[in-house]
Amino acid sequence: MKSDIRVCSAWRERHDRPVYTLSVDCPDCGADAVNSAPAPFDPEDPYGEYRRSLKRRNR
């Protein structure tokens, strides 16, 4: 699931604090805005299959 909230990719160099937006560009400086949330899981997780099977078994 992708987050709609984005943050300015250059906020560390150009702003005092993160600038959040819903658009693809920063409203203050015009730099690209990137997804602000980390991925909920790693698709290449080597132990993910085992963790999910344990979760199903413990229901």
Side-chain angles (χ1 to χ4, degrees):
M1 177 178 212
K2 189 174 173 186
S3 175
D4 289 335
I5 300 175
R6 297 171 175 257
V7 66
C8 177
S9 61
W11 75 266
R12 287 181 179 86
E13 296 87 25
R14 299 180 184 177
H15 308 288
D16 295 333
R17 57 189 175 91
V19 176
Y20 294 97
T21 183
L22 295 175
S23 67
V24 294
D25 298 327
C26 176
D28 293 342
C29 66
D32 290 336
V34 294
N35 190 356
S36 65
F41 62 90
D42 181 13
E44 297 176 6
D45 181 10
Y47 300 104
E49 178 183 343
Y50 302 111
R51 219 180 355 270
R52 288 187 292 275
S53 69
L54 280 173
K55 190 180 276 190
R56 283 191 295 265
R57 193 179 321 159
N58 290 333
R59 285 186 188 175

mmCIF file of all heavy atoms in Angstrom, residues 9-58:
data_model
loop_
_atom_site.group_PDB
_atom_site.id
_atom_site.type_symbol
_atom_site.label_atom_id
_atom_site.label_comp_id
_atom_site.label_asym_id
_atom_site.label_seq_id
_atom_site.Cartn_x
_atom_site.Cartn_y
_atom_site.Cartn_z
ATOM 1 N N SER A 9 12.098 15.974 -1.081
ATOM 2 C CA SER A 9 13.319 15.173 -1.112
ATOM 3 C C SER A 9 14.551 15.979 -0.709
ATOM 4 O O SER A 9 15.559 15.412 -0.310
ATOM 5 C CB SER A 9 13.518 14.575 -2.502
ATOM 6 O OG SER A 9 13.656 15.616 -3.453
ATOM 7 N N ALA A 10 14.488 17.296 -0.786
ATOM 8 C CA ALA A 10 15.628 18.144 -0.451
ATOM 9 C C ALA A 10 15.380 18.970 0.807
ATOM 10 O O ALA A 10 15.962 20.037 0.981
ATOM 11 C CB ALA A 10 15.921 19.069 -1.626
ATOM 12 N N TRP A 11 14.553 18.480 1.720
ATOM 13 C CA TRP A 11 14.212 19.300 2.875
ATOM 14 C C TRP A 11 15.400 19.520 3.797
ATOM 15 O O TRP A 11 15.500 20.556 4.456
ATOM 16 C CB TRP A 11 13.018 18.727 3.633
ATOM 17 C CG TRP A 11 13.286 17.524 4.470
ATOM 18 C CD1 TRP A 11 13.137 16.234 4.104
ATOM 19 C CD2 TRP A 11 13.740 17.495 5.827
ATOM 20 N NE1 TRP A 11 13.469 15.393 5.124
ATOM 21 C CE2 TRP A 11 13.847 16.143 6.199
ATOM 22 C CE3 TRP A 11 14.074 18.465 6.756
ATOM 23 C CZ2 TRP A 11 14.269 15.750 7.473
ATOM 24 C CZ3 TRP A 11 14.489 18.072 8.019
ATOM 25 C CH2 TRP A 11 14.581 16.739 8.357
ATOM 26 N N ARG A 12 16.334 18.604 3.867
ATOM 27 C CA ARG A 12 17.492 18.782 4.763
ATOM 28 C C ARG A 12 18.388 19.937 4.311
ATOM 29 O O ARG A 12 18.972 20.628 5.138
ATOM 30 C CB ARG A 12 18.288 17.494 4.842
ATOM 31 C CG ARG A 12 17.593 16.428 5.649
ATOM 32 C CD ARG A 12 18.421 15.153 5.728
ATOM 33 N NE ARG A 12 17.757 14.139 6.526
ATOM 34 C CZ ARG A 12 16.866 13.291 6.076
ATOM 35 N NH1 ARG A 12 16.527 13.326 4.805
ATOM 36 N NH2 ARG A 12 16.315 12.405 6.861
ATOM 37 N N GLU A 13 18.486 20.147 3.006
ATOM 38 C CA GLU A 13 19.332 21.216 2.476
ATOM 39 C C GLU A 13 18.601 22.554 2.378
ATOM 40 O O GLU A 13 19.214 23.610 2.525
ATOM 41 C CB GLU A 13 19.854 20.854 1.070
ATOM 42 C CG GLU A 13 20.765 19.647 1.033
ATOM 43 C CD GLU A 13 20.005 18.348 0.886
ATOM 44 O OE1 GLU A 13 18.885 18.362 0.351
ATOM 45 O OE2 GLU A 13 20.534 17.312 1.331
ATOM 46 N N ARG A 14 17.295 22.521 2.126
ATOM 47 C CA ARG A 14 16.575 23.760 1.800
ATOM 48 C C ARG A 14 15.606 24.250 2.863
ATOM 49 O O ARG A 14 15.178 25.396 2.817
ATOM 50 C CB ARG A 14 15.806 23.570 0.497
ATOM 51 C CG ARG A 14 16.712 23.254 -0.664
ATOM 52 C CD ARG A 14 15.914 23.085 -1.916
ATOM 53 N NE ARG A 14 16.779 22.676 -3.021
ATOM 54 C CZ ARG A 14 16.343 22.396 -4.219
ATOM 55 N NH1 ARG A 14 15.066 22.486 -4.486
ATOM 56 N NH2 ARG A 14 17.190 22.024 -5.147
ATOM 57 N N HIS A 15 15.207 23.396 3.809
ATOM 58 C CA HIS A 15 14.189 23.785 4.792
ATOM 59 C C HIS A 15 14.681 23.496 6.210
ATOM 60 O O HIS A 15 15.576 22.690 6.412
ATOM 61 C CB HIS A 15 12.890 23.006 4.557
ATOM 62 C CG HIS A 15 12.388 23.088 3.145
ATOM 63 N ND1 HIS A 15 11.839 24.218 2.602
ATOM 64 C CD2 HIS A 15 12.365 22.164 2.157
ATOM 65 C CE1 HIS A 15 11.482 23.989 1.345
ATOM 66 N NE2 HIS A 15 11.805 22.745 1.044
ATOM 67 N N ASP A 16 14.050 24.155 7.188
ATOM 68 C CA ASP A 16 14.381 23.925 8.592
ATOM 69 C C ASP A 16 13.792 22.619 9.105
ATOM 70 O O ASP A 16 14.337 21.999 10.012
ATOM 71 C CB ASP A 16 13.855 25.070 9.458
ATOM 72 C CG ASP A 16 14.536 26.382 9.125
ATOM 73 O OD1 ASP A 16 15.685 26.349 8.655
ATOM 74 O OD2 ASP A 16 13.910 27.434 9.338
ATOM 75 N N ARG A 17 12.671 22.231 8.541
ATOM 76 C CA ARG A 17 11.981 21.009 8.969
ATOM 77 C C ARG A 17 11.343 20.366 7.739
ATOM 78 O O ARG A 17 11.242 20.996 6.686
ATOM 79 C CB ARG A 17 10.926 21.320 10.023
ATOM 80 C CG ARG A 17 9.894 22.313 9.588
ATOM 81 C CD ARG A 17 9.014 22.750 10.759
ATOM 82 N NE ARG A 17 8.116 23.789 10.347
ATOM 83 C CZ ARG A 17 6.907 23.583 9.867
ATOM 84 N NH1 ARG A 17 6.444 22.366 9.738
ATOM 85 N NH2 ARG A 17 6.141 24.583 9.516
ATOM 86 N N PRO A 18 10.917 19.119 7.828
ATOM 87 C CA PRO A 18 10.313 18.456 6.665
ATOM 88 C C PRO A 18 9.076 19.194 6.162
ATOM 89 O O PRO A 18 8.283 19.705 6.952
ATOM 90 C CB PRO A 18 9.932 17.076 7.188
ATOM 91 C CG PRO A 18 10.732 16.876 8.405
ATOM 92 C CD PRO A 18 11.000 18.227 8.979
ATOM 93 N N VAL A 19 8.933 19.242 4.866
ATOM 94 C CA VAL A 19 7.761 19.854 4.225
ATOM 95 C C VAL A 19 6.950 18.730 3.608
ATOM 96 O O VAL A 19 7.411 18.063 2.684
ATOM 97 C CB VAL A 19 8.179 20.882 3.150
ATOM 98 C CG1 VAL A 19 6.960 21.427 2.435
ATOM 99 C CG2 VAL A 19 8.988 21.997 3.771
ATOM 100 N N TYR A 20 5.749 18.497 4.143
ATOM 101 C CA TYR A 20 4.878 17.426 3.673
ATOM 102 C C TYR A 20 3.865 17.979 2.682
ATOM 103 O O TYR A 20 3.416 19.119 2.802
ATOM 104 C CB TYR A 20 4.156 16.777 4.855
ATOM 105 C CG TYR A 20 5.094 16.068 5.785
ATOM 106 C CD1 TYR A 20 5.564 16.682 6.936
ATOM 107 C CD2 TYR A 20 5.537 14.780 5.504
ATOM 108 C CE1 TYR A 20 6.436 16.031 7.780
ATOM 109 C CE2 TYR A 20 6.417 14.116 6.341
ATOM 110 C CZ TYR A 20 6.861 14.750 7.479
ATOM 111 O OH TYR A 20 7.731 14.108 8.309
ATOM 112 N N THR A 21 3.491 17.154 1.708
ATOM 113 C CA THR A 21 2.553 17.577 0.679
ATOM 114 C C THR A 21 1.845 16.355 0.098
ATOM 115 O O THR A 21 2.274 15.227 0.312
ATOM 116 C CB THR A 21 3.285 18.351 -0.441
ATOM 117 O OG1 THR A 21 2.332 18.812 -1.385
ATOM 118 C CG2 THR A 21 4.315 17.492 -1.126
ATOM 119 N N LEU A 22 0.790 16.599 -0.630
ATOM 120 C CA LEU A 22 0.092 15.535 -1.349
ATOM 121 C C LEU A 22 0.443 15.540 -2.834
ATOM 122 O O LEU A 22 0.083 14.626 -3.561
ATOM 123 C CB LEU A 22 -1.428 15.686 -1.179
ATOM 124 C CG LEU A 22 -1.950 15.499 0.236
ATOM 125 C CD1 LEU A 22 -3.446 15.796 0.275
ATOM 126 C CD2 LEU A 22 -1.671 14.117 0.750
ATOM 127 N N SER A 23 1.145 16.574 -3.286
ATOM 128 C CA SER A 23 1.499 16.665 -4.703
ATOM 129 C C SER A 23 2.843 15.976 -4.966
ATOM 130 O O SER A 23 3.514 15.526 -4.051
ATOM 131 C CB SER A 23 1.567 18.134 -5.130
ATOM 132 O OG SER A 23 2.643 18.776 -4.491
ATOM 133 N N VAL A 24 3.249 15.926 -6.217
ATOM 134 C CA VAL A 24 4.505 15.267 -6.594
ATOM 135 C C VAL A 24 5.696 16.215 -6.475
ATOM 136 O O VAL A 24 6.837 15.775 -6.561
ATOM 137 C CB VAL A 24 4.432 14.673 -8.016
ATOM 138 C CG1 VAL A 24 3.419 13.552 -8.069
ATOM 139 C CG2 VAL A 24 4.111 15.740 -9.026
ATOM 140 N N ASP A 25 5.444 17.514 -6.283
ATOM 141 C CA ASP A 25 6.500 18.509 -6.119
ATOM 142 C C ASP A 25 6.336 19.229 -4.796
ATOM 143 O O ASP A 25 5.218 19.401 -4.300
ATOM 144 C CB ASP A 25 6.457 19.541 -7.247
ATOM 145 C CG ASP A 25 6.697 18.928 -8.608
ATOM 146 O OD1 ASP A 25 7.466 17.958 -8.681
ATOM 147 O OD2 ASP A 25 6.107 19.415 -9.583
ATOM 148 N N CYS A 26 7.453 19.698 -4.241
ATOM 149 C CA CYS A 26 7.417 20.492 -3.011
ATOM 150 C C CYS A 26 6.771 21.843 -3.308
ATOM 151 O O CYS A 26 7.154 22.521 -4.265
ATOM 152 C CB CYS A 26 8.838 20.679 -2.486
ATOM 153 S SG CYS A 26 8.934 21.754 -1.032
ATOM 154 N N PRO A 27 5.799 22.269 -2.491
ATOM 155 C CA PRO A 27 5.141 23.552 -2.758
ATOM 156 C C PRO A 27 6.046 24.751 -2.479
ATOM 157 O O PRO A 27 5.817 25.830 -3.017
ATOM 158 C CB PRO A 27 3.939 23.540 -1.817
ATOM 159 C CG PRO A 27 4.285 22.574 -0.752
ATOM 160 C CD PRO A 27 5.196 21.569 -1.371
ATOM 161 N N ASP A 28 7.095 24.585 -1.658
ATOM 162 C CA ASP A 28 7.971 25.704 -1.314
ATOM 163 C C ASP A 28 9.129 25.879 -2.287
ATOM 164 O O ASP A 28 9.412 26.980 -2.741
ATOM 165 C CB ASP A 28 8.532 25.530 0.097
ATOM 166 C CG ASP A 28 7.454 25.641 1.153
ATOM 167 O OD1 ASP A 28 6.365 26.178 0.857
ATOM 168 O OD2 ASP A 28 7.701 25.197 2.288
ATOM 169 N N CYS A 29 9.823 24.784 -2.607
ATOM 170 C CA CYS A 29 11.039 24.918 -3.419
ATOM 171 C C CYS A 29 10.937 24.259 -4.788
ATOM 172 O O CYS A 29 11.813 24.442 -5.632
ATOM 173 C CB CYS A 29 12.233 24.349 -2.673
ATOM 174 S SG CYS A 29 12.184 22.575 -2.407
ATOM 175 N N GLY A 30 9.918 23.451 -5.050
ATOM 176 C CA GLY A 30 9.740 22.830 -6.347
ATOM 177 C C GLY A 30 10.505 21.536 -6.551
ATOM 178 O O GLY A 30 10.465 20.963 -7.631
ATOM 179 N N ALA A 31 11.218 21.063 -5.528
ATOM 180 C CA ALA A 31 11.948 19.795 -5.644
ATOM 181 C C ALA A 31 10.959 18.631 -5.671
ATOM 182 O O ALA A 31 9.784 18.779 -5.317
ATOM 183 C CB ALA A 31 12.906 19.633 -4.466
ATOM 184 N N ASP A 32 11.424 17.484 -6.104
ATOM 185 C CA ASP A 32 10.568 16.296 -6.122
ATOM 186 C C ASP A 32 10.153 15.921 -4.708
ATOM 187 O O ASP A 32 10.926 16.068 -3.766
ATOM 188 C CB ASP A 32 11.305 15.114 -6.748
ATOM 189 C CG ASP A 32 11.509 15.289 -8.241
ATOM 190 O OD1 ASP A 32 10.737 16.045 -8.856
ATOM 191 O OD2 ASP A 32 12.433 14.656 -8.766
ATOM 192 N N ALA A 33 8.944 15.422 -4.573
ATOM 193 C CA ALA A 33 8.460 14.919 -3.294
ATOM 194 C C ALA A 33 8.476 13.396 -3.351
ATOM 195 O O ALA A 33 8.111 12.797 -4.357
ATOM 196 C CB ALA A 33 7.050 15.431 -3.019
ATOM 197 N N VAL A 34 8.939 12.769 -2.278
ATOM 198 C CA VAL A 34 9.059 11.309 -2.234
ATOM 199 C C VAL A 34 8.129 10.757 -1.172
ATOM 200 O O VAL A 34 7.674 11.473 -0.279
ATOM 201 C CB VAL A 34 10.518 10.886 -1.948
ATOM 202 C CG1 VAL A 34 11.420 11.273 -3.100
ATOM 203 C CG2 VAL A 34 11.024 11.478 -0.654
ATOM 204 N N ASN A 35 7.845 9.478 -1.263
ATOM 205 C CA ASN A 35 6.979 8.802 -0.305
ATOM 206 C C ASN A 35 7.564 8.954 1.094
ATOM 207 O O ASN A 35 8.747 8.706 1.313
ATOM 208 C CB ASN A 35 6.862 7.323 -0.690
ATOM 209 C CG ASN A 35 5.815 6.601 0.092
ATOM 210 O OD1 ASN A 35 5.199 7.148 0.990
ATOM 211 N ND2 ASN A 35 5.613 5.350 -0.252
ATOM 212 N N SER A 36 6.750 9.355 2.055
ATOM 213 C CA SER A 36 7.255 9.628 3.397
ATOM 214 C C SER A 36 7.275 8.404 4.298
ATOM 215 O O SER A 36 7.933 8.421 5.329
ATOM 216 C CB SER A 36 6.409 10.715 4.056
ATOM 217 O OG SER A 36 5.090 10.254 4.248
ATOM 218 N N ALA A 37 6.582 7.349 3.929
ATOM 219 C CA ALA A 37 6.498 6.172 4.789
ATOM 220 C C ALA A 37 7.434 5.077 4.292
ATOM 221 O O ALA A 37 7.558 4.863 3.088
ATOM 222 C CB ALA A 37 5.070 5.638 4.800
ATOM 223 N N PRO A 38 8.087 4.374 5.201
ATOM 224 C CA PRO A 38 8.910 3.244 4.765
ATOM 225 C C PRO A 38 8.029 2.085 4.317
ATOM 226 O O PRO A 38 6.846 2.017 4.658
ATOM 227 C CB PRO A 38 9.708 2.877 6.007
ATOM 228 C CG PRO A 38 8.874 3.343 7.137
ATOM 229 C CD PRO A 38 8.140 4.567 6.639
ATOM 230 N N ALA A 39 8.582 1.176 3.577
ATOM 231 C CA ALA A 39 7.825 0.003 3.137
ATOM 232 C C ALA A 39 7.415 -0.833 4.357
ATOM 233 O O ALA A 39 8.189 -0.966 5.304
ATOM 234 C CB ALA A 39 8.676 -0.840 2.202
ATOM 235 N N PRO A 40 6.202 -1.402 4.356
ATOM 236 C CA PRO A 40 5.750 -2.172 5.519
ATOM 237 C C PRO A 40 6.481 -3.500 5.674
ATOM 238 O O PRO A 40 6.486 -4.075 6.754
ATOM 239 C CB PRO A 40 4.271 -2.398 5.253
ATOM 240 C CG PRO A 40 4.108 -2.249 3.781
ATOM 241 C CD PRO A 40 5.180 -1.307 3.329
ATOM 242 N N PHE A 41 7.100 -3.992 4.619
ATOM 243 C CA PHE A 41 7.839 -5.247 4.692
ATOM 244 C C PHE A 41 8.844 -5.291 3.561
ATOM 245 O O PHE A 41 8.748 -4.550 2.589
ATOM 246 C CB PHE A 41 6.898 -6.451 4.605
ATOM 247 C CG PHE A 41 6.151 -6.521 3.307
ATOM 248 C CD1 PHE A 41 6.656 -7.202 2.221
ATOM 249 C CD2 PHE A 41 4.934 -5.882 3.162
ATOM 250 C CE1 PHE A 41 5.976 -7.245 1.021
ATOM 251 C CE2 PHE A 41 4.245 -5.924 1.966
ATOM 252 C CZ PHE A 41 4.771 -6.605 0.895
ATOM 253 N N ASP A 42 9.809 -6.158 3.694
ATOM 254 C CA ASP A 42 10.817 -6.343 2.665
ATOM 255 C C ASP A 42 10.408 -7.537 1.812
ATOM 256 O O ASP A 42 10.301 -8.650 2.316
ATOM 257 C CB ASP A 42 12.175 -6.596 3.315
ATOM 258 C CG ASP A 42 13.289 -6.779 2.311
ATOM 259 O OD1 ASP A 42 13.086 -6.475 1.127
ATOM 260 O OD2 ASP A 42 14.382 -7.209 2.728
ATOM 261 N N PRO A 43 10.161 -7.363 0.526
ATOM 262 C CA PRO A 43 9.736 -8.485 -0.309
ATOM 263 C C PRO A 43 10.788 -9.577 -0.416
ATOM 264 O O PRO A 43 10.467 -10.714 -0.725
ATOM 265 C CB PRO A 43 9.473 -7.868 -1.681
ATOM 266 C CG PRO A 43 9.802 -6.443 -1.593
ATOM 267 C CD PRO A 43 10.193 -6.117 -0.201
ATOM 268 N N GLU A 44 12.028 -9.266 -0.139
ATOM 269 C CA GLU A 44 13.093 -10.261 -0.207
ATOM 270 C C GLU A 44 13.441 -10.822 1.169
ATOM 271 O O GLU A 44 14.531 -11.365 1.363
ATOM 272 C CB GLU A 44 14.321 -9.630 -0.847
ATOM 273 C CG GLU A 44 14.057 -9.198 -2.277
ATOM 274 C CD GLU A 44 15.236 -8.478 -2.883
ATOM 275 O OE1 GLU A 44 16.291 -8.410 -2.233
ATOM 276 O OE2 GLU A 44 15.095 -7.990 -4.005
ATOM 277 N N ASP A 45 12.537 -10.692 2.143
ATOM 278 C CA ASP A 45 12.761 -11.183 3.503
ATOM 279 C C ASP A 45 12.891 -12.702 3.481
ATOM 280 O O ASP A 45 11.939 -13.404 3.140
ATOM 281 C CB ASP A 45 11.597 -10.765 4.392
ATOM 282 C CG ASP A 45 11.761 -11.204 5.840
ATOM 283 O OD1 ASP A 45 12.853 -11.662 6.210
ATOM 284 O OD2 ASP A 45 10.794 -11.057 6.599
ATOM 285 N N PRO A 46 14.055 -13.250 3.855
ATOM 286 C CA PRO A 46 14.246 -14.698 3.771
ATOM 287 C C PRO A 46 13.421 -15.480 4.800
ATOM 288 O O PRO A 46 13.170 -16.665 4.609
ATOM 289 C CB PRO A 46 15.743 -14.887 4.009
ATOM 290 C CG PRO A 46 16.171 -13.688 4.759
ATOM 291 C CD PRO A 46 15.269 -12.570 4.310
ATOM 292 N N TYR A 47 12.979 -14.835 5.886
ATOM 293 C CA TYR A 47 12.232 -15.533 6.931
ATOM 294 C C TYR A 47 10.749 -15.179 6.949
ATOM 295 O O TYR A 47 10.014 -15.608 7.823
ATOM 296 C CB TYR A 47 12.847 -15.231 8.297
ATOM 297 C CG TYR A 47 14.285 -15.662 8.376
ATOM 298 C CD1 TYR A 47 15.310 -14.730 8.312
ATOM 299 C CD2 TYR A 47 14.626 -17.008 8.466
ATOM 300 C CE1 TYR A 47 16.637 -15.123 8.351
ATOM 301 C CE2 TYR A 47 15.943 -17.413 8.505
ATOM 302 C CZ TYR A 47 16.946 -16.469 8.451
ATOM 303 O OH TYR A 47 18.251 -16.866 8.485
ATOM 304 N N GLY A 48 10.296 -14.382 5.985
ATOM 305 C CA GLY A 48 8.901 -13.961 5.951
ATOM 306 C C GLY A 48 7.927 -15.116 5.830
ATOM 307 O O GLY A 48 6.873 -15.128 6.465
ATOM 308 N N GLU A 49 8.276 -16.104 5.034
ATOM 309 C CA GLU A 49 7.390 -17.265 4.857
ATOM 310 C C GLU A 49 7.177 -17.996 6.180
ATOM 311 O O GLU A 49 6.064 -18.376 6.525
ATOM 312 C CB GLU A 49 8.003 -18.211 3.826
ATOM 313 C CG GLU A 49 7.193 -19.467 3.596
ATOM 314 C CD GLU A 49 7.893 -20.407 2.616
ATOM 315 O OE1 GLU A 49 8.797 -19.955 1.892
ATOM 316 O OE2 GLU A 49 7.498 -21.580 2.596
ATOM 317 N N TYR A 50 8.226 -18.158 6.952
ATOM 318 C CA TYR A 50 8.122 -18.850 8.243
ATOM 319 C C TYR A 50 7.319 -18.037 9.245
ATOM 320 O O TYR A 50 6.516 -18.568 10.007
ATOM 321 C CB TYR A 50 9.516 -19.125 8.804
ATOM 322 C CG TYR A 50 10.358 -19.953 7.870
ATOM 323 C CD1 TYR A 50 11.450 -19.409 7.222
ATOM 324 C CD2 TYR A 50 10.036 -21.286 7.616
ATOM 325 C CE1 TYR A 50 12.216 -20.157 6.353
ATOM 326 C CE2 TYR A 50 10.793 -22.046 6.745
ATOM 327 C CZ TYR A 50 11.880 -21.476 6.122
ATOM 328 O OH TYR A 50 12.629 -22.221 5.260
ATOM 329 N N ARG A 51 7.512 -16.712 9.252
ATOM 330 C CA ARG A 51 6.780 -15.858 10.174
ATOM 331 C C ARG A 51 5.287 -15.871 9.868
ATOM 332 O O ARG A 51 4.448 -15.939 10.777
ATOM 333 C CB ARG A 51 7.333 -14.431 10.052
ATOM 334 C CG ARG A 51 7.428 -13.726 11.347
ATOM 335 C CD ARG A 51 7.966 -12.325 11.298
ATOM 336 N NE ARG A 51 8.445 -11.785 10.054
ATOM 337 C CZ ARG A 51 9.704 -11.880 9.625
ATOM 338 N NH1 ARG A 51 10.595 -12.533 10.326
ATOM 339 N NH2 ARG A 51 10.057 -11.336 8.486
ATOM 340 N N ARG A 52 4.937 -15.842 8.583
ATOM 341 C CA ARG A 52 3.515 -15.878 8.215
ATOM 342 C C ARG A 52 2.888 -17.223 8.546
ATOM 343 O O ARG A 52 1.742 -17.293 8.997
ATOM 344 C CB ARG A 52 3.362 -15.551 6.733
ATOM 345 C CG ARG A 52 3.614 -14.089 6.429
ATOM 346 C CD ARG A 52 3.298 -13.753 4.991
ATOM 347 N NE ARG A 52 4.221 -14.371 4.058
ATOM 348 C CZ ARG A 52 5.403 -13.872 3.702
ATOM 349 N NH1 ARG A 52 5.800 -12.729 4.202
ATOM 350 N NH2 ARG A 52 6.182 -14.498 2.837
ATOM 351 N N SER A 53 3.621 -18.315 8.357
ATOM 352 C CA SER A 53 3.061 -19.627 8.681
ATOM 353 C C SER A 53 2.858 -19.769 10.191
ATOM 354 O O SER A 53 1.865 -20.359 10.627
ATOM 355 C CB SER A 53 3.944 -20.752 8.140
ATOM 356 O OG SER A 53 5.162 -20.801 8.831
ATOM 357 N N LEU A 54 3.754 -19.236 11.000
ATOM 358 C CA LEU A 54 3.558 -19.252 12.457
ATOM 359 C C LEU A 54 2.351 -18.431 12.859
ATOM 360 O O LEU A 54 1.597 -18.814 13.746
ATOM 361 C CB LEU A 54 4.803 -18.714 13.160
ATOM 362 C CG LEU A 54 5.957 -19.671 13.324
ATOM 363 C CD1 LEU A 54 7.169 -18.945 13.886
ATOM 364 C CD2 LEU A 54 5.574 -20.823 14.210
ATOM 365 N N LYS A 55 2.155 -17.300 12.214
ATOM 366 C CA LYS A 55 1.015 -16.453 12.526
ATOM 367 C C LYS A 55 -0.296 -17.171 12.200
ATOM 368 O O LYS A 55 -1.264 -17.112 12.950
ATOM 369 C CB LYS A 55 1.105 -15.145 11.748
ATOM 370 C CG LYS A 55 0.092 -14.105 12.183
ATOM 371 C CD LYS A 55 0.232 -12.834 11.383
ATOM 372 C CE LYS A 55 1.320 -11.990 11.997
ATOM 373 N NZ LYS A 55 1.363 -10.637 11.410
ATOM 374 N N ARG A 56 -0.332 -17.877 11.068
ATOM 375 C CA ARG A 56 -1.533 -18.635 10.695
ATOM 376 C C ARG A 56 -1.779 -19.786 11.656
ATOM 377 O O ARG A 56 -2.916 -20.083 12.006
ATOM 378 C CB ARG A 56 -1.387 -19.180 9.271
ATOM 379 C CG ARG A 56 -1.604 -18.156 8.207
ATOM 380 C CD ARG A 56 -1.712 -18.795 6.848
ATOM 381 N NE ARG A 56 -0.466 -19.445 6.447
ATOM 382 C CZ ARG A 56 0.484 -18.897 5.695
ATOM 383 N NH1 ARG A 56 0.329 -17.684 5.247
ATOM 384 N NH2 ARG A 56 1.572 -19.558 5.385
ATOM 385 N N ARG A 57 -0.708 -20.420 12.108
ATOM 386 C CA ARG A 57 -0.835 -21.572 12.996
ATOM 387 C C ARG A 57 -1.335 -21.164 14.381
ATOM 388 O O ARG A 57 -2.040 -21.915 15.044
ATOM 389 C CB ARG A 57 0.526 -22.258 13.135
ATOM 390 C CG ARG A 57 0.439 -23.613 13.755
ATOM 391 C CD ARG A 57 1.761 -24.311 13.877
ATOM 392 N NE ARG A 57 2.617 -24.094 12.717
ATOM 393 C CZ ARG A 57 3.924 -24.252 12.728
ATOM 394 N NH1 ARG A 57 4.544 -24.595 13.839
ATOM 395 N NH2 ARG A 57 4.649 -24.054 11.649
ATOM 396 N N ASN A 58 -1.000 -19.957 14.835
ATOM 397 C CA ASN A 58 -1.365 -19.499 16.184
ATOM 398 C C ASN A 58 -2.750 -18.870 16.251
ATOM 399 O O ASN A 58 -3.150 -18.408 17.300
ATOM 400 C CB ASN A 58 -0.326 -18.508 16.688
ATOM 401 C CG ASN A 58 0.996 -19.164 16.981
ATOM 402 O OD1 ASN A 58 1.040 -20.344 17.296
ATOM 403 N ND2 ASN A 58 2.061 -18.428 16.855
#
